[in-house]
Amino acid sequence: MLPIDVIRALPKTDLHLHLDGSLREQTLIELAKERNVELPSYTVEGLNETVFRPNYASLVEYLQGFSYTNAVMIDKEAIERIAYELAWDNINEGVRYIEVRFAPQLHVRPGFSIDEVCQAVNDGLRRAQQEHAQTVEVKEKGEPLFHYGLIVCAMRFFVAPSSPWFGNLIALMSETHAEELYAVASLELAKAAVRMRDELGLPIVGFDLAGAEFGHPASTHIEAYNYVHKNFMQKTVHAGEAYGPESIFQAITDLHADRIGHGYHLFSPELCGPSIKDPQKYVDALCRYIADHRITIEVCITSNLQTNPDIGTPQNHAFGKMLENKLSATLCTDNRLVSHTTVTNELKIALDTFKLNRSQLRDIIAYGFKRSFFPGTYKERRSYVRQVLNYYDKVIDEYAAGQPKQ
C-alpha cells in the first residue's frame, strides 16, 4: 500500500471540481464580512458544524451550502482570489491538471458581466499557473507544469433569488413554463461560452449541466448542447448522481456527453422507469456502450456517500463495479469544501477500499489526463500526458527503490 506522502507526490487530475464548492473556509468568512453577507457562523469550526457537515440527508440538502458561497462570489476580486487559492490548493497536493467548473449566470451582477465573471476565474488560475512555472520544482527538478481548463455549467433549475441575472426572466414566469426559461438560459450560456472561447481566447474547454437531477430532465437543454456540439466544444453532464441509468443514457445520446459526472446509479436497474421492460438487460447494454466508447466517468466517492446516505460505506460504492467492468473512470473531489476532501484523499479511499494494484492506480490517474478536455492541441496533450506519466513512474520507482527487499 502506498503511503499518503507518495500519493500526494504523484501527478494527478481533478476533472470534476466546482469552484463555488471549493473555497477555503477562512476565505469565505473574510469575503462575507467584507461584502456584508450573513453566515450562520464566522468561525471555521462553526461553519463546519452548521453548514459544511460530514453528512447530509440528500443531494438537495448538500446543495444548500452553495447559497453562502455564491453570495460572496459577486465581484472580480472575490472570484479571482477563490480561483487563485483553489489552484494552489491543488498544486500543493500534486494535482497538475484541473478543470474548474462553475455557473457564470449565478455570479452576474449589474456592472459585472458574464465575460468578466469568466475572465476573473481565468485570471486567478493563470496567476497561480505562472507562479508555479517559476518554482524550483519545475525549473530544476522536472516536475510537470500545472495546467487547467474552464467548464461552464448550465443549471437544471434556478432558485429565483440566486442570481439577479435570472431575475430578468422572472417576469415571464406567468407567461411560460419554468423549463422553457431554463432552456433559454442554457442556450444563452452555450452561445456565450463559444464566443468567449473563440473571440476572447478564454480556455473554456467544456459545457456542463448541474443542479438537482430529479424533476429537471436533461432534455430541456438539448438545444444548448446541440449548439456547443456543433461548435466543437466538449461536453460533460451530471447524470446518475440522484437518478437512474436512463438519465445517463439521455446524457450520452441527447446531449452528446463525452464524459459523465458522477454516474453513480449506472448499476441501479431498480431505478429504471416503467418503459424499460428488462431493467438488468438495459443496464448491461448501457454499461457495454460506455465501455466500448470509452466514455469516462468522473467519480466522486466522498460526495456520493454524503448525498446518497443509503450507500453507507465506500465498499458499497459503484466504483467497485466500474473497476470490474473495466470502465474508464477517474477520481475527483466534486467540492473540496463541502465534502472536505482532496484528490489525495479520494485516491487513498479507493486504494484502501478496493485494494487497487499499481497497474489499476496508474490507469485511473492516466484516464484523468488522457480523457481531459485539455485546452491545447491533440499533439500538445499527448506530449503533456507522456511527460506526466514519465514523472509518475519516476515517483513510484523512487519509492520502490527505498523499500526493503523481500
Side-chain angles (χ1 to χ4, degrees):
M1 191 63 63
L2 293 177
I4 196 72
D5 60 323
V6 176
I7 301 172
R8 190 177 293 113
L10 294 172
K12 300 174 287 292
T13 65
D14 195 347
L15 304 187
H16 194 115
L17 174 61
H18 288 273
L19 181 67
D20 55 352
S22 301
L23 289 71
R24 297 174 182 173
E25 292 101 326
Q26 191 58 47
T27 295
L28 173 58
I29 292 167
E30 292 174 10
L31 292 176
K33 289 179 178 179
E34 293 169 0
R35 286 153 182 78
N36 298 315
V37 172
E38 185 175 348
L39 298 177
S41 173
Y42 291 89
T43 67
V44 171
E45 296 76 15
L47 283 178
N48 289 331
E49 288 176 3
T50 58
V51 183
F52 308 114
R53 305 188 306 276
N55 301 294
Y56 302 87
S58 65
L59 174 59
V60 173
E61 185 176 283
Y62 179 90
L63 294 174
Q64 290 175 355
F66 290 82
S67 63
Y68 298 108
T69 59
N70 278 298
V72 304
M73 298 172 67
I74 56 175
D75 54 59
K76 180 183 188 304
E77 291 73 22
I79 291 178
E80 183 175 340
R81 174 183 174 178
I82 291 165
Y84 172 79
E85 292 176 350
L86 177 58
W88 270 112
D89 288 345
N90 277 276
I91 291 169
N92 288 334
E93 63 146 327
V95 179
R96 288 298 174 264
Y97 180 80
I98 60 175
E99 288 174 357
V100 179
R101 62 185 70 193
F102 58 102
Q105 290 160 326
L106 295 181
H107 310 299
V108 170
R109 299 290 188 279
F112 191 41
S113 69
I114 196 166
D115 289 25
E116 292 169 320
V117 171
C118 295
Q119 188 67 64
V121 177
N122 187 58
D123 286 349
L125 296 171
R126 184 178 56 192
R127 179 155 59 96
Q129 180 188 54
Q130 292 170 343
E131 290 175 359
H132 175 252
Q134 298 305 312
T135 61
V136 171
E137 287 75 15
V138 172
K139 300 186 77 171
E140 298 181 13
K141 298 182 180 180
E143 281 195 9
L145 288 167
F146 171 76
H147 287 283
Y148 66 90
L150 308 181
I151 295 178
V152 296
C153 298
M155 299 301 295
R156 289 181 183 266
F157 77 103
F158 285 87
V159 177
S162 64
S163 169
W165 173 88
F166 190 65
N168 295 331
L169 297 179
I170 296 300
L172 299 175
M173 279 287 197
S174 59
E175 302 173 17
T176 188
H177 296 293
E179 293 300 321
E180 294 178 18
L181 295 183
Y182 304 150
V184 169
S186 62
L187 180 58
E188 180 176 307
L189 178 62
K191 292 178 178 178
V194 170
R195 175 183 55 77
M196 288 185 286
R197 179 196 66 183
D198 295 346
E199 297 180 10
L200 302 182
L202 292 179
I204 298 176
V205 297
F207 195 79
D208 181 30
L209 180 61
E213 202 173 353
F214 186 80
H216 302 283
S219 56
T220 299
H221 306 272
I222 286 177
E223 191 174 0
Y225 269 83
N226 282 340
Y227 185 87
V228 295
H229 184 64
K230 291 176 181 178
N231 283 277
F232 304 105
M233 181 172 286
Q234 301 199 78
K235 301 153 293 291
T236 183
V237 180
H238 282 69
E241 181 181 15
Y243 211 52
E246 291 164 278
S247 177
I248 298 172
F249 180 76
Q250 184 179 58
I252 295 169
T253 55
D254 292 348
L255 304 188
H256 316 286
D258 301 292
R259 297 197 316 243
I260 294 295
H262 295 284
Y264 173 75
H265 284 300
L266 170 60
F267 302 97
S268 299
E270 69 279 5
L271 295 182
C272 287
S275 64
I276 305 300
K277 303 306 180 185
D278 188 336
Q280 188 57 58
K281 183 178 179 181
Y282 181 90
V283 167
D284 292 344
L286 177 58
C287 183
R288 178 172 178 177
Y289 185 91
I290 289 172
D292 287 345
H293 290 77
R294 307 313 291 159
I295 297 169
T296 296
I297 301 176
E298 306 155 359
V299 177
C300 309
I301 296 176
T302 298
S303 173
N304 292 157
L305 291 171
Q306 292 176 308
T307 61
N308 295 277
D310 291 342
I311 298 174
T313 65
Q315 286 85 351
N316 298 326
H317 194 278
F319 184 59
K321 292 184 178 179
M322 295 177 194
L323 291 172
E324 292 173 13
N325 286 274
K326 307 295 184 183
L327 299 186
S328 172
T330 183
L331 292 166
C332 311
T333 60
D334 198 12
N335 301 286
R336 294 174 70 99
L337 165 60
V338 186
S339 289
H340 293 294
T341 193
T342 63
V343 179
T344 300
N345 183 58
E346 296 301 301
L347 286 168
K348 182 70 164 57
I349 291 172
L351 282 163
D352 292 346
T353 302
F354 302 104
K355 309 305 179 187
L356 303 179
N357 59 41
R358 297 282 177 83
S359 177
Q360 287 176 308
L361 177 62
R362 191 179 190 277
D363 284 346
I364 291 166
I365 289 180
Y367 288 146
F369 286 101
K370 291 181 177 180
R371 294 295 291 149
S372 72
F373 300 158
F374 189 78
T377 65
Y378 179 69
K379 182 178 179 180
E380 289 170 338
R381 181 171 66 175
R382 281 182 61 91
S383 177
Y384 182 58
V385 170
R386 175 45 50 201
Q387 179 195 11
V388 164
L389 293 180
N390 285 343
Y391 188 80
Y392 177 101
D393 292 338
K394 176 185 175 184
V395 172
I396 292 294
D397 290 345
E398 288 178 350
Y399 166 70
Q403 296 304 296
K405 294 182 179 180
Q406 299 296 324

